[in-house]
């Protein structure tokens, strides 16, 4: 556990507010312990900055155990840093060495405007979710849980998709700032389960329309998203969503219209 | 002194809730939209309550300080959620779940509330499955279960090691649906900084927008706090960095009683501290104790030896030795205290000496590495990321850490505090877990409160109000509260001292961990009660909060929260000092059996201590709500 | 109509169009190559084949229009998506950007696409319209008399003794110019690279791709693209090196 401390130089994006001009500022981080997390290293640097009477670096973080999806740094050109399958908060300083220059930037995408420094506004994801990322099940109206069996393989696959922490690294990593992996994860999680079938077509059409409307780019099947995903969500789900989308288009074009009308 | 009326319905324990539901007042469906309900927080309790209330037709506004409701810390719960489904055919029942939970809480919870919790537990699973929560399944497609501490049946439903995440995403999806249908107005980056009480009733809140610094006032017919627990008072804890007590603390200062503040859970299986820079302790799910065996060397000289080199006979599997019938699955408080004891004896492992082994070599022998990986793979990965050690090869090192707050705002059977119109749900209230919470029951409580209890009980209060009778948000009480919020912010920014806020938080955490942690005594608590006010004074004289109040300022956010922790910490110690007994997590060294177990004093302390704010500089008043166990006999907890 | 609006309006809709048209175009270039490889056989083969295609008349035009429409849709969708994608990325670029996993062929689709478009235009100008190298175009080359029947699926479509255009000579003479041959070789190289990502990618877009056979698919696509490249390379090389007279 005791390991020698070392020094690195941070080059951090500083931006006073939304739409303001930003620039990179260098800060030395001295006495870095390899067992520190990247965010803990930033905490220490921030205390030093504050002690000098300057404003600390604003960065998003909360649970610091890789599940809340709040942290969102691009470290040396990679969302969430050099390691595979972890969030920024689980990036440890042992991944760096003495004398490294580390460039820290916010997630960049037009639908994720910078709020301040490294903090971005990712409310676009909530808007996509609100468009259809749910199964309508009024509280109290649910049938007995075991009345609908779900094959283990299906439940596991749904869980693979459902693990998404909504951090936005997929968007940050994509050269098109596409949100396909995020949306595909949501669509697949609910679309795989029997409970999600009634709204399956409506869901995929609505979520994709909202995603497009918010200004996310399209998918060019390069799979940078799944490579950057801290939960390693597979781009297989994107293929699945494409298929679901095509089916839903087909269904919507040929479904006979129901007469409808209010009940008694 | 406040009158604490628990409003427990009469009748047999098993019939109380159904009788109560049939008896309470209702609000006409057409009138519901005329009632404005504010929900603060969107974790399991807040999100489920917001969604369910809007489905009923109420006009709901939900406030969260996060950038999205999905970030609430419920998301980090790993292990599972209990429910009395008896799918395993192992004899589980509502009564057993109730009894285990009440006993697990060392008989310091409210019997009727706990029974109700067990009663609605099965419905929660139904609801979550309908929402698409991908619980673990068996090959036949039916739901799977696992075992958790403090129970001898297998009743825990889980979604890998991310049960909280999946349940929260379920509640969040219901909330999202409500938000798009217009039933819930969602306010993000909005931190509640005061409760507004008009004519003795909760009528609104004051909120600061964390991005713009704007202070706004919001009026409502009822205010629901679902803001989580206050365990971050310890600084180092398994809570998210943003988790805080500010909302409930401001409500306390507006008259809501704070119940059992000293009941804070120290979870036995967390990754030990490595250095002073540390910001967070990471939990390793209790489910690991299903297959992992906890031990330390018999001989203190062996504590730094490689664990593999210590032969079987030289190992002390102390939980299996002391508690043969529950073994490694004894309740959290018991396991934590036992770990502390062996470390105090100098047998703790790792450099700091504050750690015990959680060893999977037997399980790997039995299930194979692949079998263990299937059950706990993500936890082993987390452990590896943090410690750089491979737990498949060397045992994990674990140590207890602050994890949950059983204490919280006092509520009656309707989940309403002593301030009418103020409801408190989930971890923010005190009612269901007594002096110790069992694993997999926090998720159960949060969702029970939000989905199945508040939607009924809030009607009982709202029905007493005339629709449209809420005061305007620019009344004198609102203006005064908003001014107060602005003043505190300004004051914090004007100190410009030398020490950053983190410094004070660390010191407070250290004092509390030392004196109000796993073991407490009169002398230590007395010391803490001197140190904390002094630290608070220093904070206000020498705290450094850089930046301004009109844009995103994370230092200011933390300063506001730490300022409240510095007051709450004192109340915790006061409560711990006043409770002259040991129960659950509250271990007063003066009150123990010769074998080191908790010695409860049911004659004098079978009550809830509900503290009432009495003004700045005046000692708070300790009210007591007696705990009447009508059905269960309070016994000495025995897990041996 | 919803279907048309969604296909043309949404990102996935446009991608579906690109994948479907891409599939048609892959089928076309593959068939085109197989037909052209007849240049290595008896002159009856390629000349008879060309004459047969020309004799189809309206059917040939229908196919041509269809192919041009596919190409146009492919290019239109690709261009619109590219513009949207660029806009989505925002104004502030990353100071440091590292590719993690993206295949090299996938990173230059737009550039390879451009060159392929230029190539196709030239190719049509050269061999179909005759604008690029009028000296070696069909009006200026001799005729050829078929020495045997040309059959398609057992049916005789061009009889022995028929006077047909000497397409074979046109091709060989065309490639005798080194600049033309070199441009052709570079272009088919880039087209193969374009296909390397495109042929794999269309399965993903059409929703029929999975980790289970990702590696197999990649291998098949790689072999296909290599074969396509070598096949196309063979004709100008042979012409340049004098194997074809």
């Amino acid at each position: 556990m005791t390991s020698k401390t070392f020094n690195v130089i941070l080059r951090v994006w500083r931006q006073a507010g939304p739409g303001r001009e930003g620039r990179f500022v260098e800060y030395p981080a001295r006495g870095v312990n390899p067992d520190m997390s990247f965010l803990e290293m930033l905490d220490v640097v921030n205390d030093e900055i504050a002690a000098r009477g300057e404003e600390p670096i604003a960065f998003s973080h909360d649970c610091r155990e890789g599940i809340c999806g709040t942290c969102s740094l691009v470290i040396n050109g990679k969302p969430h840093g050099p390691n595979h399958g972890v969030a920024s908060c689980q990036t440890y300083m042992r991944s760096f060495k003495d004398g490294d220059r580390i460039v820290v930037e916010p997630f960049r995408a037009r639908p994720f405007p910078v709020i301040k420094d490294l903090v971005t506004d990712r409310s676009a994801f909530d808007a996509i979710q609100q468009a259809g990322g749910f199964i309508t099940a009024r509280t109290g109206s649910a049938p007995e849980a075991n009345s609908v069996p779900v094959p283990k393989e299906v439940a596991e696959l749904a869980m693979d998709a459902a693990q998404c922490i909504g951090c936005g690294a997929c968007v940050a990593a994509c050269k098109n700032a596409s949100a396909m992996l995020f949306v595909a994860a949501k669509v697949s999680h609910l679309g795989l389960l029997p409970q999600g079938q009634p709204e399956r077509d409506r869901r995929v059409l609505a979520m994709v329309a909202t995603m497009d409307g918010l200004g996310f780019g399209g998918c060019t099947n390069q799979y940078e998203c799944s490579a950057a995903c801290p939960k390693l969500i597979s781009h297989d789900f994107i293929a699945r969503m494409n298929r679901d989308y095509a089916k839903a288009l087909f269904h919507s074009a040929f479904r006979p219209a129901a007469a409808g009308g209010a009940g008694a | 002194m406040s009158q604490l009326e628990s409003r427990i319905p009469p009748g047999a324990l098993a019939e109380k809730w159904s009788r109560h539901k049939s008896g309470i007042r209702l609000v006409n469906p057409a009138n519901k939209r005329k009632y404005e309900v504010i929900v603060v927080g969107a974790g399991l309790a807040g999100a489920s309550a917001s969604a369910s209330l809007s489905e009923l037709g109420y006009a709901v506004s939900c406030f969260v300080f996060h950038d999205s409701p999905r970030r609430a810390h419920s998301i980090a719960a790993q292990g599972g959620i209990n429910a009395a489904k008896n799918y395993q055919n192992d004899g589980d029942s509502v009564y057993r779940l109730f009894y285990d939970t009440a006993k697990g809480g060392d008989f310091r919870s409210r019997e009727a509330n706990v029974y109700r919790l067990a009663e609605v537990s099965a419905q929660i699973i139904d609801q979550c499955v309908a929402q698409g929560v991908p619980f673990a399944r068996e090959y036949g497609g039916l739901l799977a279960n696992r075992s958790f501490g403090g129970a001898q049946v297998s009743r825990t439903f889980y979604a890998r090691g991310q049960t909280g995440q999946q349940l929260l995403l379920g509640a969040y999806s219901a909330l999202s649906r409500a938000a798009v249908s217009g039933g819930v107005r969602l306010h993000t980056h909005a931190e509640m900084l005061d409760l507004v009480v008009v004519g003795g009733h909760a009528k609104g809140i004051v909120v600061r927008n964390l991005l713009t610094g704007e202070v706004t006032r919001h009026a409502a017919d009822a205010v629901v706090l679902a803001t989580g627990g206050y365990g971050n008072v310890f600084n180092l804890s398994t809570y998210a960095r943003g988790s805080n007590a500010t909302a409930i603390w401001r409500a306390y200062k507006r008259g809501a009683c704070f119940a059992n503040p000293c009941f804070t859970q120290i979870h036995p299986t967390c990754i030990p501290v490595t250095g002073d820079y540390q910001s967070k302790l990471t939990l390793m799910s209790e489910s690991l104790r299903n297959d992992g065996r906890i031990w330390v060397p018999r001989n203190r000289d062996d504590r730094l030896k490689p664990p593999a080199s210590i032969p079987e006979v030289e190992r002390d599997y102390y939980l299996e030795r002391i508690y043969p019938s529950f073994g490694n699955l004894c309740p959290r408080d018991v396991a934590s205290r036992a770990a502390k004891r062996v470390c105090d004896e100098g047998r703790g492992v790792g450099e700091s000496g504050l750690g015990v082994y959680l060893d999977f070599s037997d399980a790997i022998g039995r299930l194979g590495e692949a079998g263990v990986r299937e059950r706990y793979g993500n936890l082993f990965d987390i452990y590896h990321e943090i410690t750089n050690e491979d737990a498949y090869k060397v045992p994990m090192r674990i140590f207890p850490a602050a994890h949950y707050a059983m204490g919280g705002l006092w509520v009656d059977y309707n989940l309403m505090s002593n301030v009418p119109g103020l409801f408190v749900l989930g971890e923010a209230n005190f009612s269901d877990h007594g002096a110790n919470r069992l694993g997999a029951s926090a998720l159960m409580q949060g969702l029970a409160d939000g989905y199945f209890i508040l939607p009924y009980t809030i009607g009982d209060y709202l029905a007493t109000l005339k629709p449209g009778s809420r005061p305007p948000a620019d009344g004198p009480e609102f203006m005064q509260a908003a001014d107060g919020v602005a003043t505190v912010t300004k004051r914090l920014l004007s100190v410009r001292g030398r020490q950053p806020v983190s410094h004070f938080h660390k010191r407070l955490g250290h004092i509390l961990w030392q004196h109000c942690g796993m073991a407490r005594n009169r002398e230590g608590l007395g010391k803490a009660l001197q140190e904390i006010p002094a630290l608070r004074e220093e904070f206000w004289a020498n705290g450094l909060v850089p930046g301004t109040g009109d844009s995103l300022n994370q230092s200011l956010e933390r300063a506001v929260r730490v300022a409240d922790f510095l007051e709450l910490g004192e109340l915790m110690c006061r409560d711990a000092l006043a409770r002259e007994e040991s129960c659950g997590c509250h271990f007063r060294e003066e009150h123990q059996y010769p074998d080191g177990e908790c010695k409860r004093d049911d004659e004098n302390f079978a009550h809830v201590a509900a503290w009432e704010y009495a003004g700045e500089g005046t000692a708070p008043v300790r009210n007591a709500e007696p705990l009447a166990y009508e059905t269960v006999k309070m016994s000495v907890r025995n897990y041996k | 109509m919803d279907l048309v609006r969604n296909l043309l309006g949404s990102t996935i809709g446009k991608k579906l169009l690109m994948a479907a048209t891409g599939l048609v175009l892959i089928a076309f270039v593959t068939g085109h190559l197989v037909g052209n490889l007849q240049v290595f056989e008896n002159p009856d083969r390629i000349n008879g084949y060309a004459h047969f295609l020309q004799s189809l008349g309206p059917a040939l035009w229908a196919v041509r229009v269809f192919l041009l429409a596919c190409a146009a849709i492919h290019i239109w969708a690709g261009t619109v998506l590219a513009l949207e994608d660029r806009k989505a990325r925002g104004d502030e670029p990353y100071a440091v950007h590292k590719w993690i996993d993206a295949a090299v062929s996938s990173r230059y689709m737009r550039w390879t696409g451009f060159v392929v478009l230029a190539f196709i235009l030239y190719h049509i100008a050269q061999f179909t319209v005759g604008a690029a190298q009028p000296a070696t175009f069909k009006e200026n080359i001799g005729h050829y008399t078929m020495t045997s029947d040309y059959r398609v699926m057992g049916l005789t479509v061009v009889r022995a003794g028929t006077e047909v255009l000497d397409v074979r000579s046109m091709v060989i003479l065309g490639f005798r110019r080194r600049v033309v041959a070199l441009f052709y070789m570079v272009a088919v190289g880039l087209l193969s690279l374009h296909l390397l990502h495109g042929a794999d990618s269309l399965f993903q877009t059409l929703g029929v791709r999975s980790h289970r056979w990702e590696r197999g698919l990649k291998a098949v696509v790689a072999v296909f693209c290599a074969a396509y490249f070598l096949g196309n390379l063979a004709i100008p090389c042979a012409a340049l090196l004098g194997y074809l007279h």
Side-chain angles (χ1 to χ4, degrees):
Chain A
M1 296 299 291
T2 35
S3 346
K4 273 178 64 189
T5 60
F6 60 94
N7 305 321
V8 295
I9 293 171
L10 302 176
R11 234 178 112 68
V12 182
W13 179 260
R14 301 299 308 262
Q15 181 175 337
R20 302 277 294 276
E21 193 84 356
R23 66 197 172 95
F24 282 97
V25 180
E26 288 200 355
Y27 300 95
R30 299 184 198 90
V32 173
N33 185 316
D35 286 327
M36 273 178 162
S37 75
F38 197 85
L39 302 191
E40 285 167 347
M41 182 273 298
L42 283 179
D43 289 341
V44 172
V45 170
N46 265 346
D47 276 351
E48 288 171 13
I49 293 174
R52 287 200 301 270
E54 298 165 32
E55 265 209 68
I57 305 159
F59 64 95
S60 299
H61 64 94
D62 197 30
C63 78
R64 298 205 175 192
E65 52 183 292
I67 194 74
C68 73
T70 310
C71 59
S72 47
L73 303 177
V74 175
I75 303 169
N76 282 340
K78 282 190 188 169
H80 291 315
N83 298 325
H84 202 51
V86 294
S88 307
C89 64
Q90 298 159 293
T91 299
Y92 282 78
M93 292 311 290
R94 65 179 79 96
S95 304
F96 302 90
K97 56 182 196 309
D98 192 47
D100 276 358
R101 273 165 73 91
I102 305 172
V103 180
V104 192
E105 300 176 75
F107 281 4
R108 294 209 183 275
R110 187 176 295 271
F112 289 172
V114 172
I115 290 172
K116 187 174 185 175
D117 298 341
L118 305 169
V119 179
T120 52
D121 176 0
R122 286 165 288 171
S123 54
F125 273 9
D126 290 305
I128 295 174
Q129 186 91 21
Q130 288 169 8
F134 47 77
I135 291 172
T136 303
R138 288 179 66 91
T139 305
S141 61
E144 163 31 67
N146 258 349
S147 60
V148 183
V150 181
K152 186 178 167 75
E153 298 77 10
V154 173
E156 292 293 327
L157 196 58
M159 182 64 200
D160 284 346
Q163 291 193 73
C164 167
I165 60 173
C167 63
C170 44
V171 175
C174 176
K175 77 171 173 25
N176 312 325
S178 173
M180 287 285 278
L181 189 64
F182 169 76
V183 181
K186 300 286 156 202
V187 164
S188 301
H189 158 210
L190 299 173
L192 274 159
L193 296 169
Q195 290 82 2
Q197 298 313 308
E199 290 162 299
R200 187 167 170 179
D201 286 353
R202 175 199 299 264
R203 178 181 307 120
V204 66
L205 292 175
M207 290 181 84
V208 169
T210 307
M211 167 184 89
D212 289 349
L214 288 162
F216 290 100
C219 180
T220 40
N221 304 332
Q222 294 177 292
Y223 317 132
E224 290 290 280
C225 50
S226 47
C229 176
K231 289 290 164 191
L232 298 177
I233 291 174
S234 164
H235 50 259
D236 280 5
F237 293 117
I238 295 181
R240 213 191 130 75
M241 175 164 77
N242 288 334
R243 189 166 73 232
D244 270 13
Y245 188 82
K247 277 192 208 161
L249 278 188
F250 192 76
H251 291 162
S252 69
F254 297 104
R255 183 182 299 113
Chain B
M1 210 156 139
S2 281
Q3 278 303 311
L4 297 179
E5 242 190 277
S6 63
R7 292 201 181 83
I8 298 170
L13 186 61
E15 285 157 24
K16 284 181 195 289
W17 176 232
S18 47
R19 278 180 54 164
H20 186 65
K21 274 196 293 185
S22 327
I24 53 182
R25 284 163 290 210
L26 297 172
V27 177
N28 167 351
N31 273 347
K32 284 200 175 98
R33 65 171 182 274
K34 296 176 189 160
Y35 290 99
E36 180 76 41
V37 180
I38 282 174
V39 178
V40 186
L44 287 182
S48 58
S50 300
S52 303
L53 290 174
S54 91
E55 282 167 11
L56 288 172
Y58 295 112
V60 179
S61 294
C62 182
F63 294 82
V64 297
F65 72 80
H66 288 101
D67 64 336
S68 161
R70 60 166 297 151
R71 311 263 188 237
H73 198 52
S74 305
I75 204 147
Q78 298 171 350
I81 176 167
N82 285 332
K85 283 280 197 187
N86 193 30
Y87 283 161
Q88 303 302 317
N89 197 30
D90 54 3
D92 198 12
S93 62
V94 168
Y95 185 84
R96 268 194 206 279
L97 174 54
F98 148 71
Y99 183 79
D100 286 347
T101 309
K103 177 186 169 193
D106 217 356
F107 306 99
R108 288 295 175 262
S109 47
R110 201 186 276 143
E111 189 186 42
N113 287 51
V114 180
Y115 192 89
R116 173 176 64 185
L117 175 65
E119 209 177 333
V120 300
S121 66
Q123 252 183 302
I124 297 171
I125 302 301
D126 298 344
Q127 182 63 31
C128 294
V129 166
Q131 285 170 343
V133 172
F135 283 121
R137 304 250 165 192
E138 288 163 0
Y139 280 105
L142 303 178
L143 290 156
N145 290 115
R146 65 176 160 210
S147 308
F148 250 66
Q152 288 178 315
V153 294
S154 195
R155 61 161 78 99
T156 304
F157 295 80
Y158 62 100
R160 296 196 191 144
Q162 287 137 275
T163 317
Q165 181 200 26
Q166 293 310 311
L167 296 175
L168 183 66
L169 292 180
Y172 163 70
S173 71
L175 177 61
S176 297
R177 186 176 79 89
V180 77
S181 69
V184 175
R185 270 159 297 153
L186 206 51
H187 304 258
T188 54
H189 296 289
E191 180 144 45
M192 169 182 157
L193 290 182
D194 210 350
L195 176 74
V196 181
V197 179
V198 181
H201 288 240
K203 289 296 177 192
I205 61 173
V206 174
V207 167
R208 181 171 176 274
N209 183 307
L210 298 181
L211 299 186
T212 63
E214 192 192 0
V215 174
T216 50
R217 308 171 305 274
H218 303 266
D221 295 285
V223 175
V224 179
L225 299 186
T227 53
Y230 52 86
N232 251 349
V233 71
F234 286 99
N235 182 40
L236 281 182
S237 75
T238 66
Y239 284 74
R241 289 310 286 158
S243 301
N244 66 81
T246 290
I248 55 172
W249 192 250
R250 303 298 168 94
Y252 162 75
K253 290 175 96 171
R254 291 284 175 190
C257 285
F258 205 122
N260 300 334
C262 79
F263 287 174
T264 48
Q265 178 163 78
I266 311 293
H267 194 293
T269 52
C270 302
I271 299 177
V273 180
T274 57
D276 183 51
Y277 50 78
Q278 198 144 354
S279 62
K280 154 91 188 180
L281 295 174
T282 303
L283 176 76
M284 289 282 99
S285 168
E286 176 160 313
S287 60
L288 290 169
R289 290 198 272 145
N290 267 308
D291 288 302
R293 298 179 68 196
I294 293 175
W295 63 276
V296 290
R298 274 189 198 288
N299 186 338
R300 69 169 75 181
D301 300 333
D302 288 350
R303 71 172 196 87
L304 287 174
K305 281 190 188 165
S309 71
I310 302 174
E312 201 64 26
V313 287
E314 291 300 321
R315 300 177 178 191
D316 179 12
Y317 295 91
Y318 57 90
L319 287 178
E320 296 170 28
R321 173 172 58 82
I322 308 171
Y323 309 101
S325 64
F326 279 71
N328 293 298
L329 277 178
C330 61
R332 291 175 177 176
D333 56 334
V334 176
S336 291
R337 219 153 27 236
K340 179 182 189 303
R341 220 174 302 143
V342 294
C343 292
D344 287 348
E345 289 164 17
R347 297 193 285 149
V349 299
E351 255 172 52
S352 62
L354 296 175
V356 300
Y357 289 125
L358 177 59
D359 194 336
F360 285 85
S361 46
D362 277 9
I364 290 170
R366 195 172 69 245
L367 305 163
E369 196 177 307
V372 171
R373 195 182 298 276
E374 193 195 313
R375 286 187 196 180
Y376 310 109
N378 70 321
L379 298 168
F380 278 57
D381 291 347
I382 293 173
Y383 185 80
H384 180 254
E385 279 151 22
I386 294 174
T387 62
N388 209 20
E389 288 175 11
D390 180 359
Y392 295 103
K393 306 248 152 34
V394 289
M396 286 184 183
R397 282 174 301 106
I398 52 161
F399 197 67
H403 177 60
Y404 187 86
M406 281 76 70
L409 292 186
W410 183 90
V411 290
D412 64 14
Y413 190 73
N414 280 346
L415 302 181
M416 188 163 83
S417 74
N418 57 309
V419 176
L422 176 68
F423 292 80
V424 192
L425 313 186
E427 191 178 347
N429 77 23
F430 88 102
S431 69
D432 293 357
H433 306 298
N436 171 57
R437 180 175 67 75
L438 289 186
S441 59
L443 302 182
M444 173 170 67
Q445 188 218 342
L447 291 180
D449 288 1
Y451 282 133
F452 296 113
I453 299 171
L454 182 78
Y456 293 96
T457 60
I458 200 170
D460 195 43
Y461 170 75
L462 292 174
T464 65
L465 307 176
K466 251 183 43 209
S469 67
R470 66 177 168 277
D474 50 9
E477 292 88 350
F478 281 90
M479 301 312 277
Q480 182 244 336
D483 285 348
V485 165
T487 309
V488 171
T489 312
K490 236 177 263 158
R491 211 180 132 200
L492 283 167
L493 284 165
S494 66
V495 178
R496 301 279 171 192
R498 292 245 180 96
Q499 294 290 355
V501 177
S502 59
H503 167 84
F504 296 95
H505 200 174
K506 273 180 200 166
R507 279 171 62 193
L508 173 67
H510 191 72
I511 295 171
L512 288 172
W513 185 252
Q514 283 299 101
H515 302 304
C516 199
M518 279 185 284
R520 298 132 184 217
N521 59 51
R522 189 171 301 120
E523 194 194 347
L525 289 165
K527 217 169 134 198
L529 282 169
Q530 288 181 333
E531 286 175 4
I532 295 173
L535 183 64
R536 195 164 60 225
E537 215 163 284
E538 200 186 322
F539 169 79
W540 283 103
N542 196 26
L544 170 59
V545 185
T548 60
D550 56 5
S551 72
L552 176 67
N553 185 340
Q554 293 169 322
S555 311
L556 176 62
E557 288 170 28
R558 187 161 182 203
V560 168
R561 294 164 189 167
V562 169
D564 290 335
F565 282 142
L566 283 163
E567 297 179 7
L568 167 61
E570 185 181 341
L571 188 71
M572 286 166 62
C573 294
R574 221 177 254 283
D575 185 44
L577 188 61
R579 189 171 280 279
E580 289 284 356
E581 64 162 353
S582 292
C583 58
C585 70
H586 173 64
F587 186 71
R588 280 286 301 267
E589 287 168 349
E590 298 93 334
H591 307 286
Q592 56 178 310
Y593 290 107
D595 60 358
E597 299 293 330
C598 281
K599 193 169 181 184
R600 261 193 355 247
D601 178 356
D602 290 340
E603 203 156 306
N604 297 306
F605 288 96
H607 61 240
V608 176
W611 295 84
E612 187 183 350
Y613 186 65
E616 198 85 57
T618 313
V621 180
R622 187 179 191 272
N623 299 301
E625 178 210 336
L627 289 169
Y629 274 73
E630 297 169 5
T631 308
V632 170
K633 196 175 131 288
M634 289 193 196
S635 59
V636 175
R637 263 193 336 167
N638 181 2
Y639 292 97
K640 287 187 174 174
Chain C
M1 208 173 108
D2 273 4
L3 179 67
V4 176
R5 206 191 59 221
N6 279 321
L7 267 183
L8 300 182
S10 73
T11 47
I12 300 184
K14 286 189 282 263
K15 289 294 295 181
L16 287 168
L17 288 175
M18 282 195 81
T21 52
L23 190 62
V24 171
L25 294 171
I26 288 174
F28 164 70
V29 295
T30 311
H32 189 54
L33 172 64
V34 172
N36 289 352
L37 285 176
Q38 295 176 97
V39 81
F40 288 103
E41 296 187 39
N42 182 312
D44 279 359
R45 305 286 302 164
I46 184 108
N47 287 340
Y49 167 68
H51 186 79
F52 163 65
L53 291 183
Q54 291 291 338
S55 69
L56 290 174
L60 177 67
W61 275 107
V63 172
R64 278 177 174 165
V65 168
F66 175 66
L67 288 172
L68 279 173
C70 283
I73 291 170
H74 196 81
I75 293 164
W76 168 78
T79 310
V80 172
L81 283 169
L83 294 174
E84 285 174 0
D85 292 349
R86 180 168 301 183
K87 197 171 154 207
R89 191 92 289 282
D91 302 324
E92 190 70 48
Y94 283 118
V96 184
H97 176 256
K98 282 198 190 113
W99 289 99
I100 311 174
D101 240 9
V104 175
S105 58
S106 76
R107 301 178 197 174
Y108 305 104
M109 287 304 273
R110 284 152 196 176
W111 295 113
T112 53
F114 269 129
V115 178
V116 167
L117 173 63
F119 166 66
I120 292 171
L121 291 176
Y122 182 83
H123 193 68
I124 293 176
Q126 183 185 12
F127 292 125
T128 315
V129 185
Q133 285 175 286
T136 56
F137 193 57
K138 38 197 172 190
E139 277 85 28
N140 301 329
I141 54 169
H143 283 231
Y144 174 81
T145 311
M146 294 289 285
T147 59
S148 60
D149 288 355
Y150 182 76
R151 291 159 196 263
V152 174
M153 288 188 282
L155 271 175
T156 302
V157 290
V158 186
R159 292 201 174 281
T162 315
E163 281 270 290
V164 298
L165 275 174
D166 189 1
V167 170
R168 188 167 182 274
S169 302
M170 178 177 89
V171 171
I172 295 168
L173 290 173
F175 283 135
R176 286 276 161 85
R177 284 190 58 190
R178 282 189 194 169
V179 186
V180 174
L182 198 69
F183 174 54
Y184 182 91
M185 289 190 271
V186 170
V188 291
L190 292 176
L191 175 56
S192 307
L193 208 59
H194 195 77
L195 294 186
L196 189 60
H197 179 64
D200 175 272
S201 182
L202 72 89
F203 288 91
Q204 172 81 359
T205 304
L206 294 175
V208 286
R209 189 178 185 279
S210 145
H211 259 103
R212 289 171 198 224
W213 39 285
E214 182 170 304
R215 287 177 63 183
L217 178 68
K218 275 187 175 164
V220 170
V221 167
V223 168
F224 167 79
C225 290
Y228 180 77
F229 179 57
L230 293 175
N232 269 311
L233 211 56
I235 303 172
C237 280
L240 268 184
L241 298 174
Y243 286 110
L244 287 170
H245 308 281

